[in-house]
Short mmCIF file of all heavy atoms in Angstrom, two decimals:
data_model
loop_
_atom_site.label_atom_id
_atom_site.label_comp_id
_atom_site.label_asym_id
_atom_site.label_seq_id
_atom_site.Cartn_x
_atom_site.Cartn_y
_atom_site.Cartn_z
N ILE A 62 84.89 164.83 122.08
CA ILE A 62 86.23 164.88 122.69
C ILE A 62 86.68 163.46 123.04
O ILE A 62 87.82 163.05 122.72
CB ILE A 62 86.22 165.75 123.96
CG1 ILE A 62 86.00 167.23 123.59
CG2 ILE A 62 87.50 165.58 124.76
CD1 ILE A 62 87.17 167.89 122.92
N GLN A 63 85.81 162.71 123.71
CA GLN A 63 86.19 161.36 124.13
C GLN A 63 86.44 160.46 122.90
O GLN A 63 87.38 159.65 122.92
CB GLN A 63 85.08 160.76 125.00
CG GLN A 63 85.47 159.46 125.69
CD GLN A 63 86.67 159.61 126.59
OE1 GLN A 63 86.65 160.38 127.53
NE2 GLN A 63 87.75 158.88 126.29
N GLN A 64 85.63 160.60 121.87
CA GLN A 64 85.82 159.81 120.67
C GLN A 64 87.16 160.11 120.00
O GLN A 64 87.86 159.19 119.56
CB GLN A 64 84.68 160.07 119.68
CG GLN A 64 83.33 159.50 120.12
CD GLN A 64 82.19 159.99 119.26
OE1 GLN A 64 82.39 160.73 118.28
NE2 GLN A 64 80.97 159.60 119.61
N LYS A 65 87.55 161.38 119.96
CA LYS A 65 88.84 161.75 119.36
C LYS A 65 90.00 161.18 120.18
O LYS A 65 90.99 160.71 119.63
CB LYS A 65 88.95 163.27 119.25
CG LYS A 65 88.11 163.87 118.15
CD LYS A 65 88.45 165.35 117.93
CE LYS A 65 87.67 165.89 116.73
NZ LYS A 65 88.04 167.31 116.44
N ILE A 66 89.87 161.26 121.51
CA ILE A 66 90.92 160.69 122.36
C ILE A 66 91.07 159.21 122.11
O ILE A 66 92.20 158.69 121.94
CB ILE A 66 90.58 160.96 123.85
CG1 ILE A 66 90.67 162.45 124.16
CG2 ILE A 66 91.51 160.17 124.77
CD1 ILE A 66 90.17 162.82 125.54
N ASP A 67 89.97 158.49 122.03
CA ASP A 67 90.01 157.02 121.80
C ASP A 67 90.53 156.72 120.40
O ASP A 67 91.35 155.81 120.21
CB ASP A 67 88.62 156.42 121.99
CG ASP A 67 88.11 156.54 123.42
OD1 ASP A 67 88.95 156.72 124.33
OD2 ASP A 67 86.88 156.50 123.62
N HIS A 68 90.05 157.47 119.41
CA HIS A 68 90.46 157.21 118.02
C HIS A 68 91.96 157.41 117.81
O HIS A 68 92.61 156.65 117.07
CB HIS A 68 89.67 158.13 117.07
CG HIS A 68 90.07 158.01 115.63
ND1 HIS A 68 89.77 156.90 114.85
CD2 HIS A 68 90.77 158.86 114.82
CE1 HIS A 68 90.26 157.07 113.64
NE2 HIS A 68 90.87 158.25 113.58
N LEU A 69 92.53 158.42 118.47
CA LEU A 69 93.95 158.71 118.32
C LEU A 69 94.82 157.93 119.30
O LEU A 69 96.05 158.08 119.29
CB LEU A 69 94.19 160.22 118.50
CG LEU A 69 93.55 161.13 117.43
CD1 LEU A 69 93.67 162.60 117.83
CD2 LEU A 69 94.20 160.89 116.07
N GLY A 70 94.20 157.12 120.13
CA GLY A 70 94.95 156.31 121.07
C GLY A 70 95.67 157.13 122.14
O GLY A 70 96.81 156.83 122.52
N LEU A 71 94.98 158.16 122.65
CA LEU A 71 95.62 159.09 123.59
C LEU A 71 95.09 158.93 125.01
O LEU A 71 95.31 159.82 125.86
CB LEU A 71 95.39 160.53 123.13
CG LEU A 71 95.89 160.89 121.73
CD1 LEU A 71 95.53 162.34 121.41
CD2 LEU A 71 97.39 160.67 121.62
N ALA A 72 94.43 157.82 125.30
CA ALA A 72 93.79 157.67 126.61
C ALA A 72 94.80 157.77 127.76
O ALA A 72 94.45 158.23 128.86
CB ALA A 72 93.05 156.35 126.68
N ASP A 73 96.05 157.33 127.53
CA ASP A 73 97.04 157.38 128.61
C ASP A 73 97.81 158.70 128.62
O ASP A 73 98.70 158.88 129.47
CB ASP A 73 98.01 156.22 128.47
CG ASP A 73 98.81 156.27 127.16
OD1 ASP A 73 98.31 156.88 126.20
OD2 ASP A 73 99.92 155.70 127.12
N ARG A 74 97.49 159.61 127.71
CA ARG A 74 98.20 160.88 127.64
C ARG A 74 97.30 162.09 127.87
O ARG A 74 97.82 163.21 128.02
CB ARG A 74 98.89 161.03 126.26
CG ARG A 74 99.79 159.86 125.85
CD ARG A 74 101.03 159.78 126.73
NE ARG A 74 101.89 160.93 126.58
CZ ARG A 74 102.83 161.04 125.61
NH1 ARG A 74 102.97 160.09 124.69
NH2 ARG A 74 103.61 162.11 125.55
N VAL A 75 95.98 161.85 127.86
CA VAL A 75 95.02 162.96 128.05
C VAL A 75 94.14 162.62 129.23
O VAL A 75 93.53 161.56 129.29
CB VAL A 75 94.17 163.18 126.78
CG1 VAL A 75 93.17 164.31 127.03
CG2 VAL A 75 95.05 163.49 125.58
N LEU A 76 94.04 163.56 130.17
CA LEU A 76 93.23 163.38 131.36
C LEU A 76 92.10 164.39 131.38
O LEU A 76 92.36 165.60 131.24
CB LEU A 76 94.08 163.53 132.63
CG LEU A 76 93.32 163.58 133.96
CD1 LEU A 76 92.63 162.25 134.23
CD2 LEU A 76 94.27 163.94 135.11
N LEU A 77 90.86 163.91 131.55
CA LEU A 77 89.71 164.78 131.75
C LEU A 77 89.35 164.73 133.23
O LEU A 77 88.94 163.68 133.73
CB LEU A 77 88.53 164.35 130.90
CG LEU A 77 88.53 164.73 129.42
CD1 LEU A 77 89.61 163.98 128.63
CD2 LEU A 77 87.16 164.50 128.78
N THR A 78 89.48 165.84 133.93
CA THR A 78 89.24 165.84 135.38
C THR A 78 87.79 166.03 135.75
O THR A 78 87.40 165.73 136.88
CB THR A 78 90.05 166.96 136.05
OG1 THR A 78 89.50 168.23 135.68
CG2 THR A 78 91.52 166.90 135.65
N GLY A 79 86.98 166.55 134.83
CA GLY A 79 85.64 166.98 135.20
C GLY A 79 85.68 168.31 135.91
O GLY A 79 86.74 168.92 136.11
N GLY A 80 84.49 168.79 136.29
CA GLY A 80 84.42 170.09 136.96
C GLY A 80 84.91 170.01 138.40
O GLY A 80 84.81 168.97 139.07
N MET A 81 85.44 171.11 138.87
CA MET A 81 85.87 171.23 140.25
C MET A 81 85.35 172.53 140.83
O MET A 81 85.23 173.51 140.10
CB MET A 81 87.41 171.19 140.34
CG MET A 81 88.00 169.80 140.13
SD MET A 81 89.80 169.75 140.23
CE MET A 81 90.22 170.09 138.51
N PRO A 82 85.02 172.54 142.12
CA PRO A 82 84.51 173.78 142.73
C PRO A 82 85.50 174.92 142.60
O PRO A 82 86.70 174.70 142.37
CB PRO A 82 84.31 173.39 144.21
CG PRO A 82 84.24 171.90 144.21
CD PRO A 82 85.11 171.44 143.08
N PRO A 83 85.02 176.16 142.73
CA PRO A 83 85.93 177.30 142.64
C PRO A 83 87.00 177.26 143.71
O PRO A 83 86.75 176.86 144.85
CB PRO A 83 84.99 178.50 142.86
CG PRO A 83 83.82 177.94 143.60
CD PRO A 83 83.66 176.54 143.08
N ASP A 84 88.20 177.64 143.35
CA ASP A 84 89.34 177.68 144.27
C ASP A 84 89.64 176.30 144.87
O ASP A 84 90.19 176.20 145.97
CB ASP A 84 89.12 178.70 145.38
CG ASP A 84 88.91 180.10 144.82
OD1 ASP A 84 89.58 180.44 143.82
OD2 ASP A 84 88.11 180.85 145.38
N ASP A 85 89.28 175.25 144.15
CA ASP A 85 89.57 173.89 144.60
C ASP A 85 91.09 173.72 144.72
O ASP A 85 91.81 173.99 143.76
CB ASP A 85 88.99 172.89 143.62
CG ASP A 85 89.01 171.45 144.15
OD1 ASP A 85 90.07 171.00 144.59
OD2 ASP A 85 87.96 170.80 144.11
N PRO A 86 91.61 173.22 145.85
CA PRO A 86 93.06 173.02 145.98
C PRO A 86 93.63 172.11 144.91
O PRO A 86 94.78 172.26 144.50
CB PRO A 86 93.20 172.40 147.38
CG PRO A 86 92.00 172.87 148.14
CD PRO A 86 90.89 172.95 147.11
N ARG A 87 92.82 171.16 144.43
CA ARG A 87 93.32 170.27 143.36
C ARG A 87 93.59 171.05 142.08
O ARG A 87 94.60 170.82 141.40
CB ARG A 87 92.29 169.16 143.08
CG ARG A 87 92.06 168.20 144.24
CD ARG A 87 90.90 167.28 143.92
NE ARG A 87 89.66 168.05 143.74
CZ ARG A 87 88.52 167.54 143.26
NH1 ARG A 87 88.49 166.28 142.84
NH2 ARG A 87 87.45 168.31 143.14
#
């Protein structure tokens, strides 16, 4: 996933948040 984002130049348009706890307000 990260390689495709970098290869297509989408780093400023795609955000990976990582995992968040259940019912996280964020």
